[in-house]
Every structure is written in C-alpha cells, then in structure tokens.
Amino acid sequence: MQAEFAFTLNGQATTVRAEPAQSLLETLRDTCGLKATRLGCGMGQCGACTVLLDGEAVHACDTSIEVAAGRAVLTVEGLGNRAAPHPLQLAFVEEQALQCGFCTSGMLMRSAALLQRNPHPSEDEIRQALDGNLCRCGVHNRVVRAVRKAAKA
Ligand code: FES
Ligand code: FES
C-alpha cells in the first residue's frame, strides 16, 4: 500500500507517495524527475546508480524509499552544477574521464564519498573504492587520475 515518505533531496525537504518497497532509484528518476542517476544492472552490481545516503555511497537500485525516509540523499545534480562545479566534476572534464558517460554519475558519487572520508587517498585507495563501479568504455585509469587531481585541488 502506498504511503508518504519524507527525506532531504539535494538539500531540499521532499515528500513522495510510493510503495514502501519502491527503489530509491525509481523514486529519484520517475517520481522526482532527476534522471542523472542511472539504471544499469538493477541488481547492485555495477555502481551506475550510486548516490549518497547520509554521506555514505549506496546503490539506489537496491535501496528502498522506506530505507531512505528521514535521511539525506545526495545525487550528482546536488553535487555541483555548471555555475559551481564540484572539484571532482572539474577534474573529470579536465582528465576526460568519461566516454559515453553512462557510469559517470556513479563514479562521481562514489568518489565524492571517498574524498569526504579520506581527502587525500592513495592511488590504491581510489582503485579499491571504485572497484564496484563498472565502466564498459574502459576509462578507469582516467577516472583514477581525475580523483587524484580533485584530491589535490
Ligand atoms: S543499477 Fe544499481 S548497481 Fe547497477
Ligand atoms: S564512460 Fe561509458 S560506461 Fe563509463
């Protein structure tokens, strides 16, 4: 049965009506109209849907809206924008750390979570953090360079 769920979305108080088991990903994309978070595998295995929940990186495809209720959700739309890009977004552009861009939102959000808890990660720590974020275009090395650059910014 549908119910109301209140949470903070990119700093804004938000209330949606949904089935408790509806995924956070479906909520973001279809209920809230924020399309930058991607549906890849839908099974918690590719990282394309990564968002921050109370600052921790989670898969929005296997997190329900019921679990997200009362908490703070940050998507790539809230990370930065053209006028005020996040250092990671700038570094991804400068290092050309994307090709088709499908994995990019998830890569950015996983990297943002890493830099929040570890502002100066080693290359190994970056690779470990991004291990579950797949890229079918093979830009992993550029992503690592971009995260290192953002960490120095
Ligand atoms: S779409 Fe969520 S992990 Fe792949
Ligand atoms: S840039 Fe195409 S999937 Fe990563």
Side-chain angles (χ1 to χ4, degrees), residues 97-104 107 134-140 143:
L98 63 151
Q99 198 163 320
C100 77
F102 195 87
C103 68
T104 309
M107 292 280 192
L134 308 184
C135 172
R136 62 192 172 188
C137 301
V139 299
H140 297 91
V143 168

mmCIF file of all heavy atoms in Angstrom, residues 97-104 107 134-140 143, ligand 2:
data_model
loop_
_atom_site.group_PDB
_atom_site.id
_atom_site.type_symbol
_atom_site.label_atom_id
_atom_site.label_comp_id
_atom_site.label_asym_id
_atom_site.label_seq_id
_atom_site.Cartn_x
_atom_site.Cartn_y
_atom_site.Cartn_z
ATOM 1 N N ALA A 97 37.598 12.011 -18.216
ATOM 2 C CA ALA A 97 37.392 10.743 -17.529
ATOM 3 C C ALA A 97 36.018 10.142 -17.832
ATOM 4 O O ALA A 97 35.377 9.567 -16.946
ATOM 5 C CB ALA A 97 37.578 10.946 -16.028
ATOM 6 N N LEU A 98 35.560 10.309 -19.035
ATOM 7 C CA LEU A 98 34.311 9.675 -19.453
ATOM 8 C C LEU A 98 34.308 9.546 -20.961
ATOM 9 O O LEU A 98 34.990 10.288 -21.664
ATOM 10 C CB LEU A 98 33.086 10.476 -18.996
ATOM 11 C CG LEU A 98 32.925 11.893 -19.552
ATOM 12 C CD1 LEU A 98 31.471 12.267 -19.614
ATOM 13 C CD2 LEU A 98 33.687 12.891 -18.679
ATOM 14 N N GLN A 99 33.526 8.559 -21.405
ATOM 15 C CA GLN A 99 33.360 8.400 -22.846
ATOM 16 C C GLN A 99 31.866 8.529 -23.143
ATOM 17 O O GLN A 99 31.394 9.601 -23.463
ATOM 18 C CB GLN A 99 33.958 7.072 -23.308
ATOM 19 C CG GLN A 99 34.210 7.053 -24.791
ATOM 20 C CD GLN A 99 35.169 5.939 -25.186
ATOM 21 O OE1 GLN A 99 36.154 5.656 -24.503
ATOM 22 N NE2 GLN A 99 34.871 5.289 -26.285
ATOM 23 N N CYS A 100 31.092 7.449 -22.941
ATOM 24 C CA CYS A 100 29.641 7.595 -23.171
ATOM 25 C C CYS A 100 28.973 8.308 -22.001
ATOM 26 O O CYS A 100 27.898 8.872 -22.145
ATOM 27 C CB CYS A 100 28.993 6.238 -23.398
ATOM 28 S SG CYS A 100 28.753 5.281 -21.880
ATOM 29 N N GLY A 101 29.579 8.238 -20.823
ATOM 30 C CA GLY A 101 29.059 8.956 -19.661
ATOM 31 C C GLY A 101 28.070 8.174 -18.817
ATOM 32 O O GLY A 101 27.611 8.676 -17.790
ATOM 33 N N PHE A 102 27.745 6.947 -19.230
ATOM 34 C CA PHE A 102 26.703 6.217 -18.503
ATOM 35 C C PHE A 102 27.104 5.945 -17.051
ATOM 36 O O PHE A 102 26.271 6.020 -16.147
ATOM 37 C CB PHE A 102 26.372 4.901 -19.215
ATOM 38 C CG PHE A 102 25.098 4.288 -18.741
ATOM 39 C CD1 PHE A 102 23.885 4.654 -19.303
ATOM 40 C CD2 PHE A 102 25.100 3.369 -17.704
ATOM 41 C CE1 PHE A 102 22.695 4.108 -18.841
ATOM 42 C CE2 PHE A 102 23.916 2.827 -17.236
ATOM 43 C CZ PHE A 102 22.712 3.189 -17.808
ATOM 44 N N CYS A 103 28.365 5.643 -16.829
ATOM 45 C CA CYS A 103 28.816 5.284 -15.477
ATOM 46 C C CYS A 103 29.192 6.505 -14.640
ATOM 47 O O CYS A 103 29.487 6.373 -13.456
ATOM 48 C CB CYS A 103 30.038 4.375 -15.571
ATOM 49 S SG CYS A 103 31.512 5.231 -16.211
ATOM 50 N N THR A 104 29.220 7.692 -15.277
ATOM 51 C CA THR A 104 29.897 8.845 -14.674
ATOM 52 C C THR A 104 29.247 9.331 -13.379
ATOM 53 O O THR A 104 29.949 9.647 -12.411
ATOM 54 C CB THR A 104 29.985 9.993 -15.693
ATOM 55 O OG1 THR A 104 30.547 9.477 -16.901
ATOM 56 C CG2 THR A 104 30.857 11.114 -15.174
ATOM 57 N N MET A 107 30.339 7.030 -10.682
ATOM 58 C CA MET A 107 31.772 7.221 -10.396
ATOM 59 C C MET A 107 31.971 8.487 -9.549
ATOM 60 O O MET A 107 32.746 8.491 -8.581
ATOM 61 C CB MET A 107 32.554 7.370 -11.698
ATOM 62 C CG MET A 107 32.618 6.135 -12.554
ATOM 63 S SD MET A 107 33.864 4.976 -11.952
ATOM 64 C CE MET A 107 33.933 3.846 -13.358
ATOM 65 N N LEU A 134 31.556 -0.172 -12.447
ATOM 66 C CA LEU A 134 31.996 -0.687 -13.740
ATOM 67 C C LEU A 134 31.861 0.379 -14.829
ATOM 68 O O LEU A 134 30.995 1.241 -14.766
ATOM 69 C CB LEU A 134 31.164 -1.915 -14.123
ATOM 70 C CG LEU A 134 31.090 -3.022 -13.060
ATOM 71 C CD1 LEU A 134 30.326 -4.211 -13.605
ATOM 72 C CD2 LEU A 134 32.471 -3.424 -12.585
ATOM 73 N N CYS A 135 32.766 0.299 -15.809
ATOM 74 C CA CYS A 135 32.712 1.205 -16.957
ATOM 75 C C CYS A 135 32.934 0.373 -18.215
ATOM 76 O O CYS A 135 33.999 -0.188 -18.407
ATOM 77 C CB CYS A 135 33.784 2.286 -16.846
ATOM 78 S SG CYS A 135 33.913 3.282 -18.350
ATOM 79 N N ARG A 136 31.917 0.316 -19.053
ATOM 80 C CA ARG A 136 32.020 -0.519 -20.253
ATOM 81 C C ARG A 136 32.914 0.133 -21.305
ATOM 82 O O ARG A 136 33.336 -0.510 -22.259
ATOM 83 C CB ARG A 136 30.625 -0.796 -20.825
ATOM 84 C CG ARG A 136 29.897 0.459 -21.262
ATOM 85 C CD ARG A 136 28.430 0.216 -21.560
ATOM 86 N NE ARG A 136 27.754 1.492 -21.786
ATOM 87 C CZ ARG A 136 26.455 1.630 -21.916
ATOM 88 N NH1 ARG A 136 25.674 0.571 -21.837
ATOM 89 N NH2 ARG A 136 25.909 2.814 -22.114
ATOM 90 N N CYS A 137 33.190 1.449 -21.134
ATOM 91 C CA CYS A 137 34.060 2.149 -22.091
ATOM 92 C C CYS A 137 35.536 2.070 -21.695
ATOM 93 O O CYS A 137 36.397 2.498 -22.466
ATOM 94 C CB CYS A 137 33.651 3.605 -22.213
ATOM 95 S SG CYS A 137 31.957 3.848 -22.749
ATOM 96 N N GLY A 138 35.811 1.616 -20.490
ATOM 97 C CA GLY A 138 37.197 1.417 -20.084
ATOM 98 C C GLY A 138 37.960 2.674 -19.720
ATOM 99 O O GLY A 138 39.162 2.770 -19.992
ATOM 100 N N VAL A 139 37.300 3.643 -19.082
ATOM 101 C CA VAL A 139 38.007 4.881 -18.728
ATOM 102 C C VAL A 139 38.546 4.862 -17.291
ATOM 103 O O VAL A 139 38.868 5.912 -16.742
ATOM 104 C CB VAL A 139 37.106 6.129 -18.917
ATOM 105 C CG1 VAL A 139 36.681 6.279 -20.354
ATOM 106 C CG2 VAL A 139 35.902 6.107 -17.985
ATOM 107 N N HIS A 140 38.688 3.683 -16.722
ATOM 108 C CA HIS A 140 39.047 3.595 -15.299
ATOM 109 C C HIS A 140 40.319 4.370 -14.955
ATOM 110 O O HIS A 140 40.381 5.058 -13.945
ATOM 111 C CB HIS A 140 39.213 2.130 -14.895
ATOM 112 C CG HIS A 140 37.961 1.328 -15.025
ATOM 113 N ND1 HIS A 140 37.639 0.640 -16.172
ATOM 114 C CD2 HIS A 140 36.934 1.141 -14.167
ATOM 115 C CE1 HIS A 140 36.475 0.036 -16.005
ATOM 116 N NE2 HIS A 140 36.023 0.318 -14.803
ATOM 117 N N VAL A 143 39.650 7.976 -14.733
ATOM 118 C CA VAL A 143 38.872 8.297 -13.533
ATOM 119 C C VAL A 143 39.807 8.385 -12.328
ATOM 120 O O VAL A 143 39.710 9.310 -11.518
ATOM 121 C CB VAL A 143 37.763 7.236 -13.297
ATOM 122 C CG1 VAL A 143 37.150 7.383 -11.908
ATOM 123 C CG2 VAL A 143 36.686 7.346 -14.375
HETATM 124 S S1 FES B 2 32.150 6.138 -19.860
HETATM 125 FE FE1 FES B 2 30.854 4.696 -20.879
HETATM 126 S S2 FES B 2 30.326 3.301 -19.297
HETATM 127 FE FE2 FES B 2 31.853 4.534 -18.419
#
